[in-house]
Amino acid sequence: MAPPLPSSLSPHICILSSPDLKELLTASSLPQLPEILQSFSPLPQVNTRTTSLTSIPHKAFSLRFSDLIEIEASCLEDEEQRAVRTVDWIGSRIGARCAQWVEDIEKMAGKQSVRLPWWDELKRCVEGDHVPSKAETWNHPAAIILAVSTNTPNPLQAISNLHSRAIELPSWVDPVYLRYTLIVHPKESALSDEESSALFNAVKKQYGLHSYLLPLDMPNPPPAPVPVPTPKPRLPLAGSDSMEASLVTNTLRMNEKDIQQTAKFTREFLVMSLIPWMEKCVLDWNESFVSTRRLPSRLFSSTRRLFGTPSPSPTPPPNHRSTPSRASTYTAPATTTAAAAAATQAAPGGLPQQRRLAEFATILGDFKLAVTVWEALSKEGKGGSDILPLLLSPSPAIPLHVSNALNAMFTQSTAPMAQMQLRALLCAIRWEIGIDPSDFASEMLGGERWLVWAAGSAEEPPSALLLAHAAFISSKKQAFRRAGFWYLLAANRLEKCGIKPLTMYFLRKAHDLYRNRPKKELSPSFWDAEGKQFSDSHEFDAIIPGIQHPLGRLLYTTGNVKEAVEIFLSLLKGSASSISTSAIGNGGYETETDEVYLEDFRVAFEHLKTNLTNLEQLKDITIPFSFCVPRQTQLRFLNNDDGGEFSGWDKCEEAWSRFSRSHGLNSHLATESKAYVNEPFWIDLALKNPLDVDVTLTDLTVTVQESNENDPSSSKSFLDVEIVKSVSIGPRETRTIPISVKATRPTALTITHITYTFLSLLPSIESLAVRGQRLHSTAVQRQTPTYAPDIVMKVAVAEAGCRLLANFSEDKQLVLNQGEVISTKLWLSNTGVEPIAEVWLVVGSDNLWLNKDEAVPSDLPTSETIHSSNSLKPQEPFSISLGSSSLMPGQSLEVPVTLHALDLGPREIRYLLLYRENKDAPFKQVRKVRSCQVLPLFRIAIFATPSSKIEEMFLVDLELQNNCTSAVQITRISTISPRWTCNSLVDGTSGPVFPSQSSRFVLGVNPWVNPSGCEETLDYVVRQLEDVVRGRAIGSSEPPPLDLCCSHVFQTQQSDDFEIQSFIHSGKRHTATESLVSIYPHIPPHTHHHIFPLFNPAALDILVFWEIPSENRKGNQLVSALHLGATHSPLQEIIEGAENAKSTRSMYAQTRREKEEVLQAIRNSEWNMEMNPLYVFVRTASGFNHDFTKGPCCVRVNFTVRNFSTTMKSRFILKLNGDASDSSSSSTIQPVVYCGRLTFRGTLEQTMHTTFSVTAWVGRPGTYALGAWQIETEVLEGVPKEQVRHRYLQQASLDDNPFINVCHVDS
Amino acid sequence: MSHHLFILSPSDTPIYNLTYSSTKPAPTTNSPLSSNLPTWSTSAFAGTLTALSGASSTTQHTTGGGVRIGGGQDRHVIQMIANASLDAIEDVMRKEGAMYLKSVDKFNEWTVSAFITPGNTKFVLLHEAKNDEGIKSFFYEVWELYVKTMLNPFHSNQQVIRSSTFDTRVRASAKKYL
């Protein structure tokens, strides 16, 4: 059952009361007649008839009564102005009462209220409008009741006065209405009942049947008030004071009889007069409507539509002729006819009659007819779409009608704004009332959207309330997100009208609805699979601030400062922690918002602070984000250079622990850093500003308490904690702020919190604890994340027992040349209170050692023998001798240290000093780092060739190019080799090498006569590598010792005081370690010194000593690249053995691949080189003169064959005059032809050589190549039974061999 | 002519957004559907941050058709629209199986089109003009890009997409179709 029509769609009846009636009513404490009659509307059980004479029962039939004079006055006012006033009036009414409503609604927290008071109020205000409008005719009077009382001296005259009074309605008000005469006959009237009946009959005779005599008791004093429905509020007249409050009556002081009499009159008026009159009107108008719908007129009307003739309807309005006979009295006296005709012309839309027909049919319930007419109207664009949704049953077409109706309203660009808005509002409210709520909210109609459409863009309370009601309906439909959005829009609009309580209520609603995210139908394991919690998922980042910020501001302006402060604070958190999806999209937005929020917070909080007497209340205001980053906060102690990479120190500590193990020392290190009494230490606080705006923190400090105490104040007496007055942190900046702490007695301290005052306003505290590690030990811990207890910073403040302070005597940064040697001094001092018994220096690299006091002989022999352990083992820590037995407190010591700059580039030199007070104490440590910059000095080129001279086996060419900017003097060149000895082939002294100049040296190399340890070393390497390739454990054996031959091949006069052995070893160890790591990446570096010796027996290293006199620098550089002499893949057997070994399956392909790579590296290593050991030199004089007339020339040619192998002997066959085909390849130079013995055989021991003399036969003059030979080599091995290890065949290449020139000379 | 694209994970967590201002002119002929609706001004949304306490009622009767605010419009309103449209999208999803839901909802001048991937990820596009084919192609390209991003084993469904490659490509595709 459809709900009844909205009451605004009911007949409007104007009442014109005579002055005496008004007096009468006032005298008997009754309201005026319209109010009295209105109390009886709606009337129950009324029947109407349709045009087809079907009876339609109405359960309730509404009537609207108003005072004609009021209506006349209202019609004079400009409609737009009136609309504006209406909107303001509604706004003020709602604004005045909303605080109470919101309070009431919030009282019933939890329960969703069925009715919203502001919506009801809006409905009543809009429905109550009764002033005729140009746009529609609902409010045009359907009847005018002329009322008099019998109290007047001459009632008949009064009636005729009323009848003759011109109705001063504007011309556009439809003049078709029913005139009705009412005579009120009070009991205390001057007229008797008979007289009044006579009067009534006279009136009936004169003015028709539409008259009524209403006898009333009106007792005096008035009876007890009877409650009646509250009349709808009406817009007060312009200019009149708002007296509504006093005028609102919802009681009537009438007795029962009067009430019945009045009810009877009202009913009679409706049933006997108004309805029949309206039915008659409908019938008549319908006829004319049907006639216009016939073809010709439709043709006409469509042509008119097409050609846009602005003239009114061609069919003359038939109202004058078809006057309903029963209502003969309605026709105005002749004076009004002209006005009526004029009204027709100017009537709204030009079709007042059709519109009225539709309205009357609607009122009477003849929906079938009404729909037809409305549809016809709407097709012609004359309105009607707004009523159709009320009459039709729900269908998808209805939203179209709605949008048409609103569209028509809003697109009338000429229509003033407020009027348009009011009409949209009226339509929306009629729909909301007139359509069944379940249909209205249904999916098909989507009525809440209509309200939104109708709200338009106006920023007025009515449209805001429309939006709010749309939100309300949406939220009932479970569309919470949409509801939230509409509430927000409503709040945005309402905010501008200053209706704060309701705005706040809407904002809170929007917030709640947004927070109430609908449950998603996701798999239960969705969040598990993502490894996240539902609560972790973030949301739209701008929405909550967009809702909360206006709310906070409203709270602040309404005096609820504390809540406002809390909201502003939470907003700051919002933008700080949001995982902003806009990181990519629109940046720059948050900057200003953070600033705004922070400023708002500051203002609000300042206000709160000044106005609050009880500061306890501020306690629960906390900053929702933190500045401190506990993980990056650390402790710093005096005299501890912790700079540099951790790995460097690890290396030092590792070296120390190896050394101490091997020497049986108590290696326990007191690693814990400690602070000492009366000495400051620092807490480096890492502060990160999460906001996009500058933030100032004041009174920044840390809370320190004793570990065994719970009260932080206990430590105050002996602790001195710094307080930083003010710290300013830029947007998203991270700063490190050191806070110094000094204790005056030994204790254990825990640093728990930092405290500061945010913006100099809000004291805050943050914990410095860091969450412990995730635990994985039990199944439960693995299933639910469990963490170890929080870690807090702890400091032990100790009495300064023995303390070593280390410093460099000079602390500037070093700039060195490569190979430079400098002596520095380390200054050690005992600042503690106990003597230090033992100090060790551990260095992280090979280029630093303590100076020894040994005297260096000033005069060097040309060659010397150095005994070497031949071990790659890194340097051992140095024990620093402390002069007397120990270093007493307050004593200091200088330790000279030699530094040899080996690597290029910026370097850090690490000193780890370990010390203790006695043998059993754990070692304490001091770490020092010194940085230096090493620049290149020489570019060195070195290469060796077999010598063609008998005297030397090899020639070594050494070229040094000066790459620095000063002249360098080469002071000495020494060669170091276990097997070779050198001599300079150049005599004389060398001058300085100027920048970019080079200096060249040629050295002759011969085997050393008494090598020692070479064979053992080779055997050792083979043995160890066999272990490696077979995957056996490497023993901790060391390579056998080796003697090195050190030949000083070049020396200037002035001698230097370098201790050569250290440099050889440190330089060689440095290069060897580096190359081993790069060649054998898969062999662990700590086993290298058990596998490889320091020196390969075949190696020849050259140590170049230099000095730069102008800069007083000196140094030396080791050139280590040469391996001389032939070897014969000594590792061949073990590699083959490893390859042929039954391969064990490995689980991992990676392991297999690594093994192959190791094998490959070993195969290609310097230890496994293989080459032809024999080399043939051909020597002869370069030119001959011969008289060929005397016959051919015989030339002597010497062939020398040398065995370069240091380990094996070789057998060879040298054949001369090899293949003729070879010689033909060269056209110009012919090979010489040898004669005599052409094949030589021999066996050569290691490094031996042999020479053959051969004759070459030259038939005619020319140039001949001597290289017509080939040599077959067999390398022999095995002492008792010789067998061939390698075989080589070598042919002379024409290019390498010398030529011989034979000229013809006449003798 | 601005467009706002949001990508929402199956739990309706926003994982990407894009504001794109099209340089293409708005089509002169509006669809009959949209012409049925009133033209709305957006002045209601402007300046909520500045309009603080005691908003005066003097600015009440502004005429319609206020200046349209493009991408710089209050971000929270745009996000609210996207969020609110999810209600409509879910309704339509339940009724239809289509991936591309064109003009599924309307809020003031904004039309909302959506695209639901088989994995229930939603692409929500707020646009002002009608451009069905373009939007459809755009969605398909974004889908492909999204799938490529999701192929990354280190990327989860809930994670915000911060890949600059993805962003660049989506922008390129927006430039092409929108």
Side-chain angles (χ1 to χ4, degrees), chain A residues 514 517 537-541 579-581, chain B residues 6-9 11-17 79 83 157-161:
Chain A
Y514 176 69
R517 293 170 73 179
S537 67
H538 49 272
E539 27 190 57
F540 287 103
D541 56 340
I579 309 162
S580 172
T581 46
Chain B
F6 294 90
I7 298 184
L8 300 154
S9 77
S11 65
D12 290 349
T13 306
I15 53 174
Y16 177 79
N17 79 17
Q79 294 188 355
N83 188 50
N157 241 333
Q158 291 297 105
Q159 215 172 332
V160 174
I161 300 178

Side-chain angles (χ1 to χ4, degrees), chain A residues 939-947 953-960 975 982 985 999-1005 1100 1102 1119-1125:
Chain A
R939 202 164 75 192
I940 301 177
I942 179 167
F943 57 92
T945 47
S947 170
M953 274 181 79
F954 294 100
L955 289 181
V956 172
D957 201 333
L958 171 70
E959 191 173 325
L960 303 164
T975 65
C982 292
L985 297 184
S999 188
R1000 219 176 139 192
F1001 300 88
V1002 181
L1003 313 175
V1005 181
L1100 177 75
I1102 301 174
V1119 188
S1120 166
L1122 288 179
H1123 292 106
L1124 299 180

Side-chain angles (χ1 to χ4, degrees), chain A residues 431-453:
Chain A
W431 294 325
E432 204 271 340
I433 300 173
I435 299 178
D436 187 51
S438 60
D439 283 339
F440 189 69
S442 72
E443 200 79 0
M444 187 160 54
L445 297 189
E448 72 274 17
R449 286 174 187 276
W450 306 351
L451 304 187
V452 176
W453 294 341

Side-chain angles (χ1 to χ4, degrees), chain A residues 481-741:
Chain A
R481 292 174 280 204
R482 195 183 304 142
F485 173 53
W486 281 335
Y487 268 127
L488 177 68
L489 287 189
N492 277 351
R493 293 186 190 192
L494 218 48
E495 189 187 0
K496 288 169 196 161
C497 312
I499 301 177
K500 287 171 192 168
L502 207 51
T503 311
M504 287 195 284
Y505 176 75
F506 287 163
L507 284 172
R508 289 205 172 108
K509 269 300 232 206
H511 184 248
D512 292 348
L513 288 168
Y514 176 69
R515 278 273 171 248
N516 178 12
R517 293 170 73 179
K519 204 164 154 45
K520 306 294 296 181
E521 288 158 2
L522 294 170
S523 154
S525 50
F526 177 81
W527 294 105
D528 258 1
E530 298 286 335
K532 278 188 175 182
Q533 300 289 315
F534 173 68
S535 51
D536 285 352
S537 67
H538 49 272
E539 27 190 57
F540 287 103
D541 56 340
I543 291 183
I544 288 292
I547 297 172
Q548 291 279 64
H549 188 234
L551 181 59
R553 288 189 161 204
L554 284 172
L555 284 170
Y556 176 62
T557 50
T558 51
N560 203 341
V561 184
K562 185 147 181 278
E563 213 173 322
V565 165
E566 277 161 11
I567 284 181
F568 290 139
L569 263 188
S570 72
L571 286 181
L572 282 173
K573 174 204 172 192
S575 59
S577 66
S578 73
I579 309 162
S580 172
T581 46
S582 66
I584 307 160
N586 13 1
Y589 178 81
E590 280 171 25
T591 318
E592 41 185 291
T593 56
D594 260 350
E595 212 171 326
V596 170
Y597 300 154
L598 196 70
E599 195 49 44
D600 283 351
F601 165 73
R602 190 205 306 274
V603 170
F605 194 76
E606 260 169 12
H607 180 81
L608 182 65
K609 227 177 160 180
T610 48
N611 290 6
L612 214 60
T613 46
N614 184 9
L615 289 178
E616 283 294 300
Q617 289 182 28
L618 294 183
K619 275 202 166 164
D620 48 347
I621 299 180
T622 48
I623 303 181
F625 50 88
S626 59
F627 282 98
C628 187
V629 190
R631 277 186 201 281
Q632 289 171 23
T633 298
Q634 52 191 6
L635 292 164
R636 186 158 51 84
F637 300 100
L638 193 69
N639 186 32
N640 207 356
D641 278 342
D642 256 341
E645 298 162 29
F646 286 107
S647 63
W649 294 117
D650 286 353
K651 238 161 87 183
C652 289
E653 281 175 14
E654 209 176 289
W656 168 252
S657 66
R658 265 204 306 275
F659 171 76
S660 56
R661 258 203 311 277
S662 62
H663 286 72
L665 284 168
N666 171 13
S667 71
H668 180 60
L669 282 180
T671 45
E672 193 187 350
S673 303
K674 268 192 182 173
Y676 294 96
V677 170
N678 282 333
E679 204 180 84
F681 64 94
W682 289 270
I683 299 153
D684 285 337
L685 292 176
L687 299 181
K688 183 176 194 310
N689 181 1
L691 307 178
D692 266 327
V693 63
D694 272 322
V695 166
T696 310
L697 310 179
T698 52
D699 298 332
L700 174 70
T701 186
V702 292
T703 313
V704 182
Q705 66 183 49
E706 283 194 272
S707 297
N708 46 5
E709 300 264 349
N710 285 328
D711 183 17
S713 60
S714 67
S715 59
K716 278 202 175 125
S717 55
F718 63 93
L719 270 185
D720 183 11
V721 183
E722 187 187 358
I723 296 174
V724 178
K725 275 284 158 229
S726 169
V727 177
S728 174
I729 314 177
R732 303 213 177 256
E733 188 194 12
T734 303
R735 284 189 67 182
T736 305
I737 311 291
I739 307 273
S740 75
V741 179

Side-chain angles (χ1 to χ4, degrees), chain A residues 453 460 520 530 557 579, chain B residues 40 52-53 60 90 157 162:
Chain A
W453 294 341
E460 302 286 355
K520 306 294 296 181
E530 298 286 335
T557 50
I579 309 162
Chain B
W40 310 90
L52 180 57
S53 55
Q60 283 174 6
E90 277 170 13
N157 241 333
R162 293 175 197 279

